[in-house]
Amino acid sequence: MLFNIFLLLAGLLFLVWSADKFVYGSSALARNLGLPSLLIGLTIVAMGSSAPEMFVAATASLSARPDTAIGNVLGSNVANISLILGITALFGAIRVSSQTLFREIPLMLIATLFAGYCLADRQLTRTEGTILVLLFLTVMGYLIWHAFAHREQDVLADDADSDIPKDVATWKALCWIAVGIILLPLAANWMVEGAVGIAKYFGMSDLVIGLTIIAVGTSLPELAACIMGVLRQEDDLAIGNIVGSNLFNILAVLAIPGLIAPGEVDASAASRDVYMVLGTSTALALLILLSSKKQRELKRWHGVTLLTSFVCYQISLF
């Protein structure tokens, strides 16, 4: 048991650290290649924050534990909104003014609805995994096209620009990318092995271990990014990290178990957890999209409500 806890914590530590270095190197290289800051923020940084989920999903699927991978996706999306944004909102109101987010949030909702459709029959097939990948590539293509075709100054672009490393030599950026690529799968393997050992000890299902310990662990990069964003008064970047991460989790990460280990899905994922993901995503959209321009913000009481919903959900899992 102690060894499994050590594996889990060591895997989590290296997973978060290597994902951060991978994002650092990739962002610096993208800046050196002359890519727009907004594009880097919406794609590379958002994908990098989902790197822990991607490698954990691949490791779990290759170990014939697709429910752990699916639980990680659903649990991470719930944690990103209810736990991460909930905690972040306690530091102060999170104001939203970026027009880019008003395009990304509906995309996140549509992707979540499609994920619910895929899991409704308690099966995740290779065809559905392929469709998710194609949708992911389509969304990426749209974001890339929009970043180049509409170079208007969005507040999110200003926030993203301040967070992208400057004056980093290309060879250093490539070295950090290599470090991330090498350590991410190794750390993910340690984390999954430790989590599975703990799950067996307490009699937890693969789905629940993915929804709880692994999901919260892989969401830690988003927590750090959101808190730092709000403290630096980069509120749109904080929300953008969450929306982008959730979008990529649904389209890119959920596709992994479908492609590697297609088959039956734990019934609770379709009857309980998808609805929680959809509920939290819809709540975020309503709070932001339907508010007046002067009140587009997450207040402290919103944060308390989100945190309460997360705690209640975690209790219901046990």
Side-chain angles (χ1 to χ4, degrees), residues 108-174:
M108 179 187 71
L109 280 176
I110 294 170
T112 303
L113 285 170
F114 183 71
Y117 170 78
C118 291
L119 299 176
D121 60 355
R122 301 177 184 178
Q123 298 280 332
L124 185 60
T125 65
R126 188 164 279 118
T127 298
E128 289 168 337
T130 302
I131 294 173
L132 286 169
V133 170
L134 292 175
L135 288 175
F136 170 71
L137 294 175
T138 300
V139 170
M140 287 287 291
Y142 167 74
L143 293 176
I144 291 171
W145 168 81
H146 201 278
F148 280 104
H150 301 81
R151 290 178 176 268
E152 74 273 11
Q153 197 68 4
D154 190 290
V155 64
L156 187 60
D158 296 333
D159 291 348
D161 185 71
S162 65
D163 269 22
I164 298 171
K166 298 177 177 66
D167 302 322
V168 178
T170 298
W171 70 269
K172 286 185 179 180
L174 290 172

Side-chain angles (χ1 to χ4, degrees), residues 26 44 51 74 82 88 98 100 142 232 247 260 271 290 298 315:
S26 300
I44 295 173
L74 301 179
S82 58
T88 305
S98 170
T100 300
Y142 167 74
R232 294 173 181 171
L247 183 58
I260 297 177
S271 62
L290 297 185
L298 296 181
I315 292 173

Side-chain angles (χ1 to χ4, degrees), residues 98-317:
S98 170
Q99 293 301 312
T100 300
L101 292 178
F102 301 147
R103 291 188 292 269
E104 273 207 315
I105 290 175
L107 288 175
M108 179 187 71
L109 280 176
I110 294 170
T112 303
L113 285 170
F114 183 71
Y117 170 78
C118 291
L119 299 176
D121 60 355
R122 301 177 184 178
Q123 298 280 332
L124 185 60
T125 65
R126 188 164 279 118
T127 298
E128 289 168 337
T130 302
I131 294 173
L132 286 169
V133 170
L134 292 175
L135 288 175
F136 170 71
L137 294 175
T138 300
V139 170
M140 287 287 291
Y142 167 74
L143 293 176
I144 291 171
W145 168 81
H146 201 278
F148 280 104
H150 301 81
R151 290 178 176 268
E152 74 273 11
Q153 197 68 4
D154 190 290
V155 64
L156 187 60
D158 296 333
D159 291 348
D161 185 71
S162 65
D163 269 22
I164 298 171
K166 298 177 177 66
D167 302 322
V168 178
T170 298
W171 70 269
K172 286 185 179 180
L174 290 172
C175 285
W176 283 123
I177 292 173
V179 167
I181 291 174
I182 293 170
L183 287 183
L184 275 167
L186 179 63
N189 186 57
W190 289 354
M191 189 173 181
V192 170
E193 285 190 13
V196 169
I198 295 171
K200 288 182 178 179
Y201 183 85
F202 288 107
M204 300 165 63
S205 69
D206 288 347
L207 179 66
V208 170
I209 196 67
L211 288 165
T212 54
I213 298 174
I214 296 180
V216 173
T218 55
S219 293
L220 290 180
E222 283 88 349
L223 176 60
C226 283
I227 291 177
M228 289 305 298
V230 170
L231 292 178
R232 294 173 181 171
Q233 297 184 333
E234 297 172 345
D235 296 7
D236 289 282
L237 189 61
I239 297 286
N241 284 335
I242 294 300
V243 174
S245 179
N246 280 17
L247 183 58
F248 290 139
N249 282 348
I250 288 291
L251 296 180
V253 184
L254 189 61
I256 293 173
L259 295 174
I260 297 177
E264 189 174 350
V265 175
D266 190 310
S268 296
S271 62
R272 176 193 61 203
D273 305 314
V274 164
Y275 290 106
M276 185 64 184
V277 177
L278 185 58
T280 53
S281 299
T282 302
L284 178 62
L286 291 176
L287 287 172
I288 294 176
L289 299 181
L290 297 185
S291 300
S292 65
K293 288 186 177 181
K294 293 182 179 179
Q295 296 178 332
R296 282 176 178 162
E297 61 181 24
L298 296 181
K299 300 180 176 65
R300 282 192 173 90
W301 74 267
H302 292 148
V304 172
T305 302
L306 289 171
L307 278 174
T308 301
S309 68
F310 178 78
V311 172
C312 291
Y313 174 60
Q314 293 296 302
I315 292 173
S316 73
L317 294 177

Side-chain angles (χ1 to χ4, degrees), residues 25-85:
S26 300
S27 300
L29 179 62
R31 180 186 283 279
N32 292 349
L33 294 175
L35 297 181
S37 298
L38 184 57
L39 175 61
I40 297 173
L42 292 175
T43 56
I44 295 173
V45 174
M47 287 178 64
S49 63
S50 292
E53 286 88 349
M54 294 180 72
F55 280 90
V56 165
T59 301
S61 298
L62 290 170
S63 303
R65 296 183 177 276
D67 282 331
T68 298
I70 294 169
N72 184 28
V73 172
L74 301 179
S76 291
N77 279 24
V78 171
N80 282 347
I81 293 176
S82 58
L83 176 65
I84 307 305
L85 283 183

